[in-house]
Amino acid sequence: MAKFVQDSTDDVCIATIRALAADVVGKANSGHPGAPMGMAPVAHILFSRFFNANPKSSKWFNRDRFVLSNGHACALQYILLHLLGYKLSMDDLKQFRQIDSLTPGHPETGHTDGIEVTTGPLGQGFANGVGLGIAQAHLAATFNKDGFDLVDNYTYVFTGDGCLMEGVASEAASLAGHLQLGNLIYFYDDNHISIDGDTAVAFTENVEQRFLSYGWQVLHVNDGDRDLEGIYNAVIEAQKEKKKPTIIRLRTTIGYGSKQQGTHGVHGAPLKADDIQALKTKFGLPADKTFYVPDDTYKVYAASAARGAALQKKWDALLASYGQKYPKEHAELTRRIAGKLPEGWEKSLPVYKPADAAQASRKLSEIVLTAITPILPELMGGSADLTGSNLTRTKAMIDFQPESTGLGSYKGTYLRFGVREHGMGAIANGMHAYGGIIPFVATFMNFVSYAAGAVRLSALSGHQVIWVATHDSIGLGEDGPTHQPIETAAHFRAMPNIDFWRPADGNETSAAYYIALTRKHTPSILSLSRQNLPNLEESTIEKASKGGYVVLEEQGEDLTIVSSGSEVSIVLEAAVQLRSEGVKVRVVSLPCWSIFDLQPKEYRLSVLRSGAPILAVEALSPFGWQKYSHEQFGLFGWGASGPYKKVYEKFGLTGSNIASISNKVITFYKQKGGEVVSPLVKAL
């Protein structure tokens, strides 16, 4: 690019952003004006000179991606979106942080046009950016041809001290350096302020040296408040580096221009009215006008938007030419961009009969992945250093690695995340946000808790991330209570917009993958066993896809037992014993509560019907089963170390003990008398 030439409108645009930040937060009487005011210069240079996007076609695939990792500074992002001409009016800015507005308290993807990922919880956006970079590198390696650089965008990320203190950012930064993601350019707002005050109280490390050790290119601009040429040149230098991600340390003054600049007082509270007026006067704007934007500012950003529209038009023509020369690749790329699955892909899902050998559901998951990944190349993922235990790498997969390492290539679809569960989850969110990829990630079920912050944002954002979570209960055995999940399922079952699956056999495992792959805006957790599970008599993919179904029917029953996962076969053992004693028992498998809850009322009440008590059995905390059952039997404390069958015996999870408990439940309700109404009647 050409040398930097400062335009007469640059100062006006920067002043506009600073004043709008003060007005937006001031009117809401809530928010963070300081960081937007401090980062106004870098925001202006980036979006007026470099950022390629088309506000009138905000999902153009090869657009540059922007992430505001320090999401508390969201007023800055909303201001930029408005100036560039996205679907965000001045009235929307005036509704900042109000109910049902397009300008919520932190950026939310799918809610506000132009927001790529949901940020706010610090560090998440940092890791999302790495996921965006991985997706771009993979799709570029897969589809670009000589003369057809269809996928060549940059990902730009604004980050701050708070993000860099979070462990999830460290995990992601370390992996990004190893993967040599030269398409990432991060801007570190080094303003030395956090909510508690000066960062000297808690954050005194040498950030530049830290990122150098990660394998990043590190640049710096010592006067981020005024050195526009320095900012411009740093971005140019960052774009030249193709084998390292770049972080540019900008020394800025938080709340620049206000009476409280440089203090934590301007971090998370609106400026006083007289301060806002003085600020505007200082920068040559009318002190008596609020939400004022000079015509010159609108013109500058309209020119940026026009540049993006012209680039998209050029790209559309390139894509059409690509289609003529490479029709097969064109069809595949456009299918993936559209988010459509190949016709008939579900026919590749394994189907099981009762006589088929018992296998662990983690092994059944591997069999599914082996069957479907050749048909669904958009499935891209890996494990947090547990590949051999999670069974997530099929024999046909190639590792996603820089070719210079000799370990794989960017065309590879298998990621070695290392022991970085939280970073892995947040990176996967970014991969899905990019488009054209359905990410899967894997660890032990218990350690999904390490990544709960990222899982929560998957659910909130509607990211279709599939968690392969093996070693799902006390059934993992000898590793003991530190590794045995007890409360974990209850946590994720309580989370909105996430499907938590605990399949009981092969068909249920295939069903879990079928639903996970067709629910485009919902993440899934597949909680899978280490121990072998027999295939059930009545299971089918179709039945299991309803989230719950009857596996053993009986008319005029004395009891219904409902269960999930590895305990379903144990409950069936109990049912056989009870039937031999003349007790009529139904058994229900409920592998996924959220999917079952979506079924018609009549169906749910036919599965968990009135007329007899319902007992829930699971080798986990019984918390939450009250919605579906009258009585619950599970684990009320931690597990134990030992061979898994001995552990199950210790906690009474055997056919004979469940039969004994069942008889007690039946006796209690008979003595109680009266009609037994399904808990679902009340829940409905």
Side-chain angles (χ1 to χ4, degrees):
M1 292 185 72
K3 284 188 175 182
F4 176 74
V5 177
Q6 183 158 352
D7 190 275
S8 60
T9 60
D10 285 330
D11 287 341
V12 174
C13 290
I14 293 168
T16 303
I17 294 170
R18 285 171 167 153
L20 280 175
D23 282 341
V24 166
V25 175
K27 185 176 188 302
N29 197 30
S30 173
H32 301 259
M37 294 167 69
M39 295 196 79
V42 65
H44 171 66
I45 292 299
L46 176 63
F47 282 88
S48 66
R49 264 59 167 206
F50 295 99
F51 194 74
N52 295 326
N54 182 4
K56 303 304 180 188
S57 180
S58 61
K59 296 301 181 183
W60 168 40
F61 196 69
N62 199 41
R63 67 192 181 277
D64 287 336
R65 269 61 167 186
F66 175 74
V67 177
L68 187 73
S69 183
N70 45 342
H72 55 270
C74 57
L76 174 62
Q77 192 166 11
Y78 297 147
I79 290 164
L80 292 167
L81 292 174
H82 169 70
L83 294 176
L84 287 163
Y86 285 83
K87 297 174 183 176
L88 200 72
S89 68
M90 186 62 78
D91 284 340
D92 292 321
L93 289 181
K94 293 176 181 179
Q95 292 298 309
F96 179 57
R97 291 196 163 200
Q98 302 305 303
I99 292 176
D100 296 330
S101 75
L102 293 177
T103 49
H106 292 88
E108 296 179 25
T109 186
H111 183 80
T112 308
D113 189 39
I115 302 293
E116 301 288 354
V117 292
T118 300
T119 60
L122 294 176
Q124 295 290 332
F126 189 107
N128 296 161
V130 175
L132 290 165
I134 288 171
Q136 188 277 330
H138 172 68
L139 291 169
T142 303
F143 291 105
N144 287 358
K145 306 285 186 182
D146 288 342
F148 292 95
D149 289 332
L150 287 169
V151 186
D152 65 352
N153 68 281
Y154 286 98
T155 293
Y156 299 100
V157 179
F158 283 6
T159 191
D161 293 303
C163 291
L164 298 186
M165 293 185 214
E166 289 284 0
V168 65
S170 298
E171 293 177 22
S174 174
L175 186 60
H178 164 73
L179 292 175
Q180 302 175 21
L181 298 174
N183 53 14
L184 298 180
I185 300 175
Y186 283 55
F187 300 86
Y188 165 35
D189 180 24
D190 181 19
N191 61 33
H192 287 205
I193 294 294
S194 64
I195 290 176
D196 273 4
D198 195 296
T199 53
V201 303
F203 190 58
T204 53
E205 67 189 45
N206 188 321
V207 172
E208 290 195 13
Q209 290 297 314
R210 172 180 155 197
F211 276 81
L212 285 171
S213 75
Y214 288 149
W216 289 54
Q217 173 179 233
V218 177
L219 307 174
H220 54 260
V221 179
N222 288 327
D223 184 3
D225 298 326
R226 292 174 292 268
D227 186 3
L228 305 187
E229 184 175 6
I231 295 170
Y232 179 91
N233 290 337
V235 178
I236 293 291
E237 200 64 27
Q239 290 184 342
K240 290 178 182 177
E241 177 55 70
K242 303 302 181 185
K243 294 186 177 181
K244 293 180 180 181
T246 296
I247 187 167
I248 304 169
R249 181 184 63 80
L250 296 164
R251 187 69 177 92
T252 66
T253 303
I254 192 169
Y256 184 85
S258 80
K259 296 176 182 178
Q260 297 189 76
Q261 71 174 35
T263 72
H264 75 281
V266 76
H267 182 286
L271 304 182
K272 290 182 168 48
D274 64 329
D275 195 357
I276 296 175
Q277 290 181 339
L279 173 81
K280 293 176 180 177
T281 299
K282 182 184 296 185
F283 291 132
L285 298 174
D288 59 339
K289 291 186 178 181
T290 59
F291 294 92
Y292 173 73
V293 179
D295 288 342
D296 283 346
T297 300
Y298 276 129
K299 288 177 182 177
V300 167
Y301 285 92
S304 296
R307 182 183 70 238
L311 287 170
Q312 182 181 357
K313 185 177 181 180
K314 184 178 178 181
W315 185 85
D316 288 341
L318 185 68
L319 180 63
S321 298
Y322 181 84
Q324 293 178 348
K325 191 168 184 180
Y326 304 103
K328 182 179 177 182
E329 290 86 347
H330 177 272
E332 181 65 11
L333 175 60
T334 53
R335 176 188 72 78
R336 290 174 63 170
I337 290 174
K340 296 179 180 178
L341 297 175
E343 192 73 28
W345 72 272
E346 69 278 3
K347 296 175 183 176
S348 65
L349 288 167
V351 177
Y352 296 87
K353 299 176 182 177
D356 291 336
Q359 299 186 82
S361 53
R362 63 170 175 158
K363 180 64 178 177
L364 295 165
S365 166
E366 180 188 36
I367 294 169
V368 173
L369 288 172
T370 300
I372 67 175
T373 48
I375 302 166
L376 299 174
E378 58 263 52
L379 267 176
M380 181 180 184
S383 167
D385 199 49
L386 288 169
T387 296
S389 295
N390 300 142
L391 304 180
T392 38
R393 189 181 190 276
T394 72
K395 293 178 181 178
M397 287 180 176
I398 298 171
D399 281 9
F400 177 86
Q401 299 275 3
E403 288 195 4
S404 61
T405 65
L407 299 171
S409 79
Y410 285 159
K411 289 183 180 180
T413 57
Y414 195 76
L415 282 152
R416 307 283 185 167
F417 284 103
V419 189
R420 303 182 179 102
E421 292 89 353
H422 198 181
M424 174 175 70
I427 287 168
N429 288 343
M431 292 168 63
H432 182 262
Y434 190 89
I437 288 173
I438 301 174
F440 68 91
V441 292
T443 185
F444 287 177
M445 183 64 233
N446 196 52
F447 302 132
V448 181
S449 294
Y450 273 10
V455 175
R456 188 175 189 274
L457 284 181
S458 288
L460 177 62
S461 307
H463 291 312
Q464 188 185 16
V465 177
I466 300 172
W467 283 83
V468 180
T470 68
H471 297 62
D472 75 326
S473 72
I474 56 171
L476 65 85
E478 289 83 352
D479 276 339
T482 59
H483 285 50
Q484 293 166 348
I486 304 296
E487 79 297 343
T488 316
H491 174 194
F492 292 116
R493 282 168 170 163
M495 190 175 286
N497 192 42
I498 188 164
D499 294 335
F500 181 91
W501 286 87
R502 196 160 179 260
D505 75 347
N507 289 328
E508 289 193 10
T509 303
S510 291
Y513 270 100
Y514 174 77
I515 298 296
L517 287 163
T518 53
R519 295 259 285 169
K520 295 183 179 181
H521 303 290
T522 301
S524 301
I525 298 175
L526 277 55
S527 186
L528 306 170
S529 73
R530 183 191 183 202
Q531 72 270 36
N532 289 343
L533 307 178
N535 288 296
L536 307 177
E537 289 283 348
E538 294 298 323
S539 80
T540 65
I541 294 176
E542 182 182 5
K543 289 179 181 178
S545 294
K546 295 180 179 180
Y549 63 103
V550 179
V551 294
L552 183 64
E553 188 57 277
E554 180 73 79
Q555 298 303 318
E557 69 274 11
D558 299 303
L559 178 72
T560 293
I561 309 177
V562 59
S563 188
S564 80
S566 47
E567 289 72 69
V568 174
S569 57
I570 298 173
V571 164
L572 285 167
E573 290 178 21
V576 170
Q577 179 178 330
L578 289 165
R579 283 187 165 188
S580 71
E581 299 169 2
V583 179
K584 295 182 178 181
V585 179
R586 297 171 74 242
V587 176
V588 169
S589 178
L590 204 67
C592 186
W593 296 6
S594 54
I595 293 297
F596 182 70
D597 290 346
L598 293 175
Q599 304 310 309
K601 176 177 67 174
E602 292 76 16
Y603 176 77
R604 283 176 285 156
L605 286 173
S606 73
V607 174
L608 295 173
R609 64 194 183 200
S610 299
I614 301 172
L615 169 66
V617 176
E618 192 173 45
L620 301 169
S621 166
F623 186 83
W625 277 104
Q626 295 81 359
K627 179 178 177 180
Y628 305 101
S629 62
H630 301 94
E631 304 294 334
Q632 302 80 37
F633 180 71
L635 293 180
F636 298 91
W638 302 115
S641 178
Y644 87 88
K645 288 185 179 179
K646 295 291 185 182
V647 177
Y648 267 72
E649 288 174 7
K650 174 180 172 63
F651 292 104
L653 287 156
T654 63
S656 59
N657 190 54
I658 293 169
S660 175
I661 292 170
S662 297
N663 278 321
K664 291 177 182 178
V665 171
I666 293 167
T667 299
F668 174 80
Y669 277 86
K670 283 183 177 179
Q671 291 175 346
K672 183 180 178 182
E675 183 184 3
V676 181
V677 178
S678 169
L680 286 183
V681 173
K682 295 180 180 179
L684 292 169

